[in-house]
Amino acid sequence: MSTLPAVKSRISSRGRGARAGLVLTGGGARAAYQIGVLKAVRDILGNPVKNPFSILCGTSAGAINAATLAVYADDFNAAVAQLLAVWEHMRCHHIYRTDAWNIVKSGARWLAALMLVSRRNPVSFLDNAPLREMLERNLDCQRIQKNIDAGALYALCVTASGYTSGQSVSFFQGASGIEPWQRNQRVGAAVTIKVDYLLASAALPFLFPAVKVHREYFGDGTMRQIAPVSPALHLGADRVLIIGTGRQNVDDTRARSNTYPSLAQVAGHALNSIFLDSLMVDIERLERINRTVRLIPPDKLGEAQLALRPVKVLFITPSQPIERIAARFLHELPSTVRFVLRPTGALNRSGSNLASYLLFEESFCRALIELAYKDTYAREEEVREFFSPEENVAHA
């Protein structure tokens, strides 16, 4: 989990000063880890009022955390305190309905659809109406533009995946002069961020309902996000702190298994592929670009008029497997949720990966926050260096 060397990337030209970007990935309840990192950054920087991140980018649960930072961008210390107040007291019923009636009703709809008894498409397995209520109660999205106008924030971006177009759409709200972008299967669209965009970005497939935004239904942004760091670069970040929700380094030794994988193991593997793999591939791509550009003399770049700039990247991920931590707290899931998950194998240690995405309980969240805090403080020198001013930084 070392700091990556300075990377170079192509962006549209615009005169500006240095801007730090924050990229928060998805992962359901695993996103509590992000709060521990932010808490450590706050303490390492000495409880600053000024927001150290001009550009905030989030996907899925990370989009909600990023939006909270944007709403409180005029006071970073207060922003982190707000996130801690929510995540340290998190319960599953704050995110989705856990009462028996709603669980049974949802299950019956899915069963009827699978047996072709009903022609109506089931919306989702879980009802996340409590999440909407919590966001509408706690987040005043009108403050985002006020913070942008006041210079406390340059841009906020949340990414969602269109179920009809198949595009990964990065919805952004920022200062004047930021231009939308379009690449293969991914676009950037200027909007006024509101709760619907956050719910769309965090709509875990099958589990939470898709959200209609404009003309299309959108789901979890990580599903088609092949370049998670790209939005921050498009918005003009010179340095990017990326907080992942899965281990970066894993043991390459193949484990022997004579038991057929459970449904929970397969589902957990699929969710890991959605939330973790594209991020690792994107960072590897940045490393390759960096090595290539370093071979090109600066005068040649100038002659070719290539809009290239250095981007410093710091990547922080859990030092321990989150699924193993989750296995210690599975008993704290609501009884109705345990009843549904038990047949899938999610309550076994081998299937705890799936449960970790739904384990919105304060003991688990606090364990992730504590782990993240220790992981980040263990790299205090790298964090300080990330925020330290640099001399002779070339801008596009």
Side-chain angles (χ1 to χ4, degrees):
M1 297 191 298
S2 59
T3 306
L4 298 180
V7 197
K8 305 241 179 179
S9 176
R10 182 188 300 272
I11 60 166
S12 58
S13 299
R14 66 174 75 93
R16 51 169 177 73
R19 295 193 178 96
L22 176 67
V23 175
L24 301 178
T25 60
R30 290 167 169 244
Y33 183 86
Q34 299 168 355
I35 313 308
V37 175
L38 293 171
K39 178 184 177 183
V41 168
R42 179 197 66 180
D43 293 351
I44 290 172
L45 297 182
N47 300 323
V49 172
K50 182 180 179 182
N51 174 25
F53 302 104
S54 300
I55 297 168
L56 300 169
C57 297
T59 306
S60 193
I64 295 175
N65 288 338
T68 302
L69 291 172
V71 168
Y72 294 93
D74 55 336
D75 189 340
F76 183 68
N77 192 19
V80 175
Q82 174 67 18
L83 286 168
L84 284 168
V86 172
W87 281 96
E88 287 186 336
H89 300 89
M90 184 68 76
R91 301 298 300 274
C92 287
H93 66 261
H94 295 157
I95 306 300
Y96 52 87
R97 298 194 187 281
T98 60
D99 59 283
W101 168 243
N102 275 281
I103 295 292
V104 170
K105 183 173 62 174
S106 176
R109 288 175 178 171
W110 278 95
L111 183 62
L114 291 173
M115 296 179 65
L116 303 180
V117 175
S118 173
R119 295 184 179 181
R120 295 182 58 186
N121 293 328
V123 174
S124 64
F125 184 71
L126 297 173
D127 180 359
N128 65 346
L131 175 59
R132 175 182 285 275
E133 295 169 4
M134 181 174 66
L135 294 178
E136 292 178 342
R137 183 173 61 251
N138 294 329
L139 288 185
D140 180 6
C141 291
Q142 294 182 354
R143 297 192 77 248
I144 296 173
Q145 189 59 48
K146 293 179 181 178
N147 287 327
I148 292 173
D149 294 339
L153 177 69
Y154 186 70
L156 166 67
C157 175
V158 300
T159 300
S161 179
Y163 278 115
T164 302
S165 66
Q167 288 184 323
S168 174
V169 182
S170 295
F171 298 103
F172 69 87
Q173 181 175 352
S176 60
I178 302 179
E179 299 178 357
W181 62 89
Q182 184 166 2
R183 298 292 185 271
N184 182 34
Q185 293 299 309
R186 52 191 175 93
V187 299
V191 299
T192 299
I193 300 294
K194 54 185 179 180
V195 168
D196 280 348
Y197 293 101
L198 306 182
L199 291 171
S201 180
L204 286 165
F206 301 111
L207 297 176
F208 295 151
V211 178
K212 190 173 185 180
V213 179
H214 305 300
R215 297 165 296 180
E216 186 176 8
Y217 279 96
F218 285 86
D220 198 290
T222 320
M223 288 189 289
R224 298 298 296 270
Q225 193 177 33
I226 59 176
V229 185
S230 177
L233 303 182
H234 279 291
L235 292 170
D238 298 288
R239 62 194 68 196
V240 184
L241 171 60
I242 307 166
I243 307 177
T245 57
R247 289 185 76 188
Q248 179 182 1
N249 297 323
V250 297
D251 188 358
D252 291 332
T253 304
R254 291 184 180 273
R256 182 181 298 275
S257 176
N258 296 319
T259 304
Y260 193 83
S262 66
L263 178 61
Q265 281 181 277
V266 175
H269 181 75
L271 287 173
N272 279 354
S273 297
I274 292 173
F275 286 106
L276 307 179
D277 292 354
S278 60
L279 178 61
M280 299 306 303
V281 170
D282 200 23
I283 291 177
E284 289 177 356
R285 184 186 302 116
L286 289 176
E287 288 182 302
R288 289 197 299 271
I289 293 174
N290 178 64
R291 288 193 296 268
T292 301
V293 173
R294 282 192 302 177
L295 298 175
I296 305 175
D299 57 327
K300 297 296 183 181
L301 290 174
E303 292 175 5
Q305 296 183 340
L306 294 175
L308 297 171
R309 61 187 169 83
V311 177
K312 182 164 55 177
V313 179
L314 177 61
F315 184 33
I316 298 179
T317 58
S319 59
Q320 301 176 26
I322 288 185
E323 59 272 19
R324 294 184 184 176
I325 299 175
R328 307 201 315 259
F329 301 100
L330 293 178
H331 64 280
E332 297 191 8
L333 280 166
S335 58
T336 51
V337 178
R338 294 201 308 272
F339 176 79
V340 172
L341 292 180
R342 183 170 286 108
T344 70
L347 301 187
N348 301 327
R349 183 172 182 178
S350 60
S352 60
N353 214 343
L354 172 61
S356 70
Y357 289 92
L358 296 175
L359 192 50
F360 292 95
E361 291 295 327
E362 62 177 50
S363 297
F364 176 59
C365 294
R366 288 180 182 229
L368 294 189
I369 292 172
E370 181 181 358
L371 173 65
Y373 191 83
K374 292 179 180 178
D375 287 347
T376 307
Y377 245 103
R379 302 174 63 185
E380 179 180 359
E381 185 176 342
E382 295 175 70
V383 173
R384 291 188 182 279
E385 194 276 332
F386 176 83
F387 288 103
S388 65
E390 295 186 19
E391 300 294 333
N392 302 320
V393 176
H395 299 296

